[in-house]
């Protein structure tokens, strides 16, 4: 019997960066759902049939930034862990259940950060 995989919602407006993150997470055997912007991400979060164990979002999104997205996501799914990816990680204050990973990050850094935020299966 295979282990239950966690589902990660990746929100990144840069298609190439998003593809790289998705590839890495899938190689690490996570299930990945992707969104190009906050609006698309919110539609996924609002769908109660969509399993999401972790939200990973870029901070610098167009229209609604990652922090604004996180506030809206938390209204819908209060317990969802949120990982912010940012080139300016040291400047970000985050609430409980939220963490930041600095861009660029290595595969190992991403794996360790994601695993540390997910409930043990």
């Amino acid at each position: 019997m295979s282990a239950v995989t966690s589902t990660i919602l990746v929100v990144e407006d840069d298609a190439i960066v998003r593809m790289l993150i998705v590839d890495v997470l899938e190689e690490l055997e996570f299930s990945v759902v992707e969104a190009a912007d906050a609006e698309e991400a919110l539609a996924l979060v609002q769908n109660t049939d969509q399993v999401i164990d972790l939200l990973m979002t870029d901070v610098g999104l167009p229209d609604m930034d990652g922090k604004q997205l996180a506030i809206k996501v938390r209204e819908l799914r209060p317990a969802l862990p949120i990982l912010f990816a940012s080139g300016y990680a040291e400047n970000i204050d985050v609430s409980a259940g939220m963490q930041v990973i600095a861009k660029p990050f290595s595969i190992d850094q991403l794996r360790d950060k994601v695993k540390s935020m997910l409930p043990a299966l």
Side-chain angles (χ1 to χ4, degrees), residues 3 28 32 44 48 58-60 63 68 73 75 80 91-92 95 98 100 105 107 113 119-120:
L28 296 169
V32 183
L44 288 163
T48 52
D58 186 30
V59 173
D63 301 328
Q68 292 165 315
V73 166
E75 288 169 7
L80 187 67
N91 301 332
I92 299 175
S95 312
M98 302 184 188
V100 181
F105 44 78
I107 292 173
K113 182 67 84 172

Side-chain angles (χ1 to χ4, degrees), residues 93-106:
D93 295 321
V94 294
S95 312
M98 302 184 188
Q99 293 189 34
V100 181
I101 189 167
K103 286 177 168 178
F105 44 78
S106 70

Side-chain angles (χ1 to χ4, degrees), residues 47-101:
N47 174 0
T48 52
D49 294 334
Q50 175 65 60
V51 173
I52 303 171
D53 299 301
L54 174 73
L55 168 66
M56 179 175 180
T57 180
D58 186 30
V59 173
L61 294 170
D63 301 328
M64 183 192 310
D65 72 25
K67 297 207 73 166
Q68 292 165 315
L69 171 61
I71 291 165
K72 289 191 179 294
V73 166
R74 278 291 172 86
E75 288 169 7
L76 298 160
R77 301 195 187 201
L80 187 67
I82 299 175
L83 175 59
F84 295 104
S86 173
Y88 311 96
E90 64 283 349
N91 301 332
I92 299 175
D93 295 321
V94 294
S95 312
M98 302 184 188
Q99 293 189 34
V100 181
I101 189 167

